[in-house]
Amino acid sequence: MLNAFKKKEGNKKETIAEKSEVKTTVRKKDKPSIYKIILENVKENGTLNVQRIEEELWKLDSKSDEMVFMAGYKDNVKQEPKEINEITGMIIIEKLGKRNYKEPEEFEADFQKLDTGAKEFLNFFHSNAVKAKPDLKTVHDFMAEVLMTTVNMEIFKIAFEIVGNFSDSSTEDVIFTIGQYPEVARYMAMLLVNRENFDKIRELLSKTEGWGKVSVLELLAYNGLLKGKIDYQIELIEAVYSGNFVLSMETDPIIAHNFDIVEILDKSTEDSELFLNITNIMNISIEGGVYTSILNTPEGREKFIKYIKTLEAVEFEHERLIGYIILYRTFKYVPAELMEQIVEKDFDYKKLKKEMKNYLDENYKEEIMSEILQSENEFFLLDYAIDHKKSFVLDIVKKKYADNIYNYNYLNLVFEIGTKKAKKEVLKKFKDDFSIEERQKEKFSMESKPEWAGHEKYKFDVVYSMIIANFHKFEDEEIYNYMEYCLYDFNPQIRHAALIALLAAENYEMNKEISKQVKRLLAETPHVRAAASEVMKAYGIKLTKGEFGEITEKLGDRIKDDEKEQMKELVR
């Protein structure tokens, strides 16, 4: 049976209760399932505790090797879709329709034979259901059982989509709750599109997070469902950025390229929050993010010109200053000749650049920046502070994070414009926290699967790697000992940072043992391999033919022919 959520008076969440019965026999299982884990981690406001869910999913003993969490979902991996073997696929549909599967595990075993993902299977299922004519009620009842018992995420998505297609008022609450989980948000959005329930899609965008927001936006934008709907686009922008965690590098370019930004900007002159959202969207989209920059297309340039005109007209003090900082970054990173060509029909580039400089000189002050830096997106506001040595920003950012010197933005400022005192403080904390003795006790080998990645104990490894990679900016001889040890650390992120530190180190003399370890790292993950290659070139380290053969044999098909040819350049 499917569970659904109900609200008590006072908006207090009731314990998950059975609201309806799907007419099928469901086996009671004590072992955890994806379904159970998701529904046991719902917050008081009805949204999901995604981090907690992912921690629990990671613990599943029978988790698939392909399960990827924390923002790298399989549906979002850019790869060529695999074609489904038609015979095997039709057999599965027929067995589903006749309820030849007695246990969910039998269906899962047949699905694994297809060697494909949920998206491809569902496309095949819907395309061939008419031909196979399965009993859809039978398919639904069986898939309801699969949905509640599986621990395989691809199977879960298939079951969710099929069951969701048949959900009614008695089960729609639980379907929507599960649909907030980023892995299945795309399938939830498809169900809502089919029912033309666009208000509920807006709610979904607000409540899902990360890749969930990305996949919903892609579905809407790339299927032409938003064209000309200016007010609805504005509502979606508000939903995306007023809700949970956002992958701005992904969402911002989708919106910038596919939304009617010119018309939205016309409506933003009286709405400071909307103008700020568009400002942040333009910032990432000018750089391009994971897409092409909007400056590369005629339509994008038109949106950029409109943004500058709106920026000059609005009277929002904070938002306008942020806009001019983005303009500063644009002029900084885009070649002057190209920028002049882009704006020539509407602006005198040199005059525009001078006006921008005068505005920032006059307004980039401690008081207003202290207020602006309370926002969550201050990283791009720091460019101007670093370039113009605005040291007061260092204290503002540190204060904002309650003396958390491990904050990324604060560390970036320390590395670039920090005082000796600030740098010493960071280094001291690093040495106190990054215990070489403790890490040496860990029973992990370099080849072990990274099950430590989700461990609370290693949550600061990303910070440590950032500090290690910037060792050359600290005046401390002892850091070379750390740099050398980190080449042997079990975390590839730390090993990579140590290699970067080697590249930047001054007056460092590498001994034979360290050079051997650098060679060993050529058999590592691609980013570690690339860094090790650069270190070998910088320090004049060469491979023997035997070492080259051992490394390429160990890598097997993980190394492509062109990369193998490049590695040959390191052979003596």
Side-chain angles (χ1 to χ4, degrees):
M1 58 189 66
L2 290 175
N3 293 320
F5 289 92
K6 295 187 292 184
K7 296 286 183 180
K8 284 183 177 180
E9 291 182 7
N11 291 324
K12 291 185 179 179
K13 180 172 68 69
E14 186 176 344
T15 305
I16 297 171
E18 296 173 356
K19 186 176 178 181
S20 68
E21 254 188 49
V22 176
K23 293 180 181 177
T24 184
T25 302
V26 179
R27 293 171 296 124
K28 300 289 185 180
K29 288 200 173 186
D30 293 325
K31 71 177 185 178
S33 66
I34 297 173
Y35 175 87
K36 183 179 179 182
I37 289 171
I38 291 176
L39 292 185
E40 285 180 346
N41 288 281
V42 184
K43 300 177 184 177
E44 290 292 329
N45 63 2
T47 62
L48 299 178
N49 186 338
V50 174
Q51 182 176 352
R52 178 63 179 165
I53 290 169
E54 289 173 341
E55 289 172 355
E56 290 299 311
L57 290 176
W58 184 256
K59 296 175 185 176
L60 291 178
D61 292 336
S62 53
K63 60 180 177 289
S64 165
D65 290 338
E66 292 181 335
M67 286 180 85
V68 183
F69 304 111
M70 306 306 289
Y73 300 123
K74 187 171 181 179
D75 278 346
N76 297 86
V77 175
K78 309 302 180 188
Q79 58 186 9
E80 289 296 320
K82 296 181 179 179
E83 287 191 14
I84 286 183
N85 181 286
E86 188 169 350
I87 295 176
T88 306
M90 292 299 288
I91 290 173
I92 291 174
I93 294 176
E94 183 177 344
K95 290 169 77 172
L96 282 171
K98 293 181 178 180
R99 190 59 193 261
N100 289 342
Y101 292 118
K102 303 303 179 185
E103 300 289 341
E105 290 80 5
E106 295 173 12
F107 166 68
E108 294 184 17
D110 276 357
F111 171 75
Q112 298 295 346
K113 296 175 185 176
L114 294 174
D115 189 28
T116 188
K119 191 187 300 185
E120 291 88 352
F121 176 81
L122 286 167
N123 288 339
F124 182 86
F125 177 84
H126 292 303
S127 298
N128 290 277
V130 175
K131 188 192 305 182
K133 295 181 179 179
D135 185 310
L136 296 180
K137 178 67 169 57
T138 300
V139 174
H140 166 265
D141 289 352
F142 177 69
M143 278 300 174
E145 185 175 351
V146 173
L147 181 70
M148 287 182 281
T149 58
T150 186
V151 295
N152 182 299
M153 185 56 73
E154 294 304 295
I155 297 289
F156 183 79
K157 287 187 280 191
I158 292 169
F160 174 82
E161 201 263 8
I162 292 175
V163 172
N165 265 316
F166 294 92
S167 65
D168 53 28
S169 58
S170 66
T171 57
E172 63 183 10
D173 287 350
V174 70
I175 291 296
F176 184 76
T177 300
I178 296 172
Q180 296 173 38
Y181 187 61
E183 277 270 22
V184 293
R186 174 181 177 272
Y187 301 93
M188 185 71 243
M190 288 170 63
L191 297 176
L192 295 171
V193 167
N194 291 339
R195 296 171 184 177
E196 297 186 351
N197 192 342
F198 289 96
D199 287 341
K200 203 68 173 176
I201 292 176
R202 183 178 62 239
E203 183 182 347
L204 176 64
L205 262 176
S206 176
K207 289 187 173 181
T208 190
E209 60 181 70
W211 281 111
K213 292 182 186 292
V214 176
S215 59
V216 175
L217 280 175
E218 285 182 337
L219 179 71
L220 295 172
Y222 300 159
N223 287 282
L225 298 171
L226 300 173
K227 191 173 182 180
K229 299 177 180 178
I230 311 303
D231 290 338
Y232 185 62
Q233 290 179 23
I234 292 173
E235 291 174 3
L236 292 184
I237 290 172
E238 180 182 351
V240 169
Y241 299 103
S242 64
N244 296 317
F245 169 65
V246 184
L247 285 169
S248 296
M249 292 294 286
E250 297 274 351
T251 57
D252 290 359
I254 295 172
I255 293 173
H257 283 285
N258 297 283
F259 283 37
D260 298 306
I261 299 297
V262 171
E263 290 78 6
I264 292 173
L265 281 167
D266 283 333
K267 291 177 175 281
S268 73
T269 55
E270 302 298 325
D271 186 337
S272 61
E273 184 176 348
L274 176 59
F275 182 75
L276 180 59
N277 280 332
I278 296 297
T279 294
N280 291 330
I281 289 167
M282 295 297 286
N283 174 51
I284 297 295
S285 304
I286 289 168
E287 293 183 17
V290 295
Y291 299 82
T292 182
S293 167
I294 61 170
L295 299 181
N296 289 345
T297 67
E299 296 84 0
R301 292 181 180 187
E302 181 186 354
K303 293 172 182 179
F304 176 64
I305 296 298
K306 177 65 176 180
Y307 176 76
I308 297 176
K309 291 178 178 178
T310 309
L311 176 63
E312 291 184 329
V314 297
E315 297 180 357
F316 316 127
E317 183 183 34
H318 291 182
E319 292 76 8
R320 195 176 186 200
L321 179 56
I322 294 171
Y324 272 104
I325 293 171
I326 288 173
L327 206 58
Y328 167 80
R329 282 166 55 85
T330 304
F331 292 165
K332 175 181 176 180
Y333 295 114
V334 179
E337 299 81 7
L338 176 58
M339 185 53 64
E340 192 166 5
Q341 177 187 338
I342 291 172
V343 304
E344 62 182 353
K345 291 182 181 179
D346 299 89
F347 298 99
D348 179 326
Y349 174 64
K350 291 181 179 178
K351 182 181 178 183
L352 180 62
K353 192 172 182 179
K354 185 176 181 181
E355 289 174 353
M356 177 269 302
K357 181 181 182 302
N358 291 340
Y359 186 90
L360 288 174
D361 286 345
E362 185 177 337
N363 291 280
Y364 199 98
K365 304 295 183 183
E366 185 169 356
E367 182 178 353
I368 186 172
M369 287 308 299
S370 182
E371 295 175 3
I372 290 176
L373 286 171
Q374 297 309 309
S375 72
E376 292 300 317
N377 298 319
E378 74 271 15
F379 69 93
F380 62 79
L381 303 177
L382 305 181
D383 257 24
Y384 188 83
I386 290 171
D387 291 348
H388 294 80
K389 310 298 183 198
K390 302 289 185 181
S391 57
F392 66 81
V393 176
L394 194 73
D395 295 327
I396 294 173
V397 174
K398 185 179 180 183
K399 185 178 180 180
K400 172 182 175 178
Y401 290 99
D403 296 325
N404 173 20
I405 62 176
Y406 281 163
N407 172 263
Y408 175 88
N409 294 309
Y410 178 69
L411 285 176
N412 190 35
L413 286 168
V414 168
F415 296 146
E416 299 299 332
I417 60 172
T419 61
K420 286 185 178 180
K421 180 181 178 182
K423 290 177 181 175
K424 284 182 178 179
E425 185 182 15
V426 167
L427 194 59
K428 183 180 184 302
K429 181 165 178 58
F430 168 79
K431 289 180 177 180
D432 290 342
D433 295 346
F434 192 86
S435 171
I436 290 179
E437 292 77 15
E438 285 297 314
R439 294 181 79 94
Q440 284 175 330
K441 293 176 185 177
E442 301 294 352
K443 296 179 180 179
F444 297 110
S445 70
M446 290 169 62
E447 289 78 23
S448 66
K449 291 185 178 181
E451 295 195 1
W452 45 265
H455 199 292
E456 178 76 7
K457 191 172 183 180
Y458 306 110
K459 67 178 181 179
F460 286 118
D461 274 14
V462 63
V463 175
Y464 297 150
S465 65
M466 184 182 179
I467 295 171
I468 293 161
N470 283 276
F471 270 167
H472 62 288
K473 295 179 181 176
F474 298 97
E475 296 179 6
D476 190 300
E477 293 182 4
E478 189 182 351
I479 61 175
Y480 288 118
N481 295 330
Y482 282 84
M483 183 172 66
E484 291 176 348
Y485 167 72
C486 290
L487 291 169
Y488 297 87
D489 197 82
F490 54 82
N491 186 343
Q493 191 172 32
I494 298 292
R495 299 197 293 274
H496 179 262
L499 290 165
I500 299 302
L502 277 174
L503 284 172
E506 296 179 3
N507 303 319
Y508 173 74
E509 294 183 9
M510 185 181 295
N511 61 39
K512 288 184 178 179
E513 181 53 42
I514 297 300
S515 66
K516 286 181 181 178
Q517 178 61 8
V518 172
K519 291 179 183 179
R520 294 185 193 110
L521 295 180
L522 285 174
E524 277 285 338
T525 55
H527 70 297
V528 173
R529 197 157 66 233
S533 178
E534 292 301 313
V535 169
M536 289 182 66
K537 292 174 185 177
Y539 285 85
I541 304 170
K542 293 291 184 179
L543 291 171
T544 64
K545 289 183 179 179
E547 290 170 331
F548 173 78
E550 289 176 7
I551 291 169
T552 53
E553 182 180 354
K554 185 174 182 180
L555 287 170
D557 58 7
R558 288 184 294 147
I559 183 171
K560 305 301 180 186
D561 289 340
D562 56 345
E563 189 181 355
K564 194 179 293 185
E565 287 299 316
Q566 291 175 5
M567 192 180 289
K568 281 183 180 178
E569 297 176 6
L570 300 173
V571 177
R572 187 178 297 119

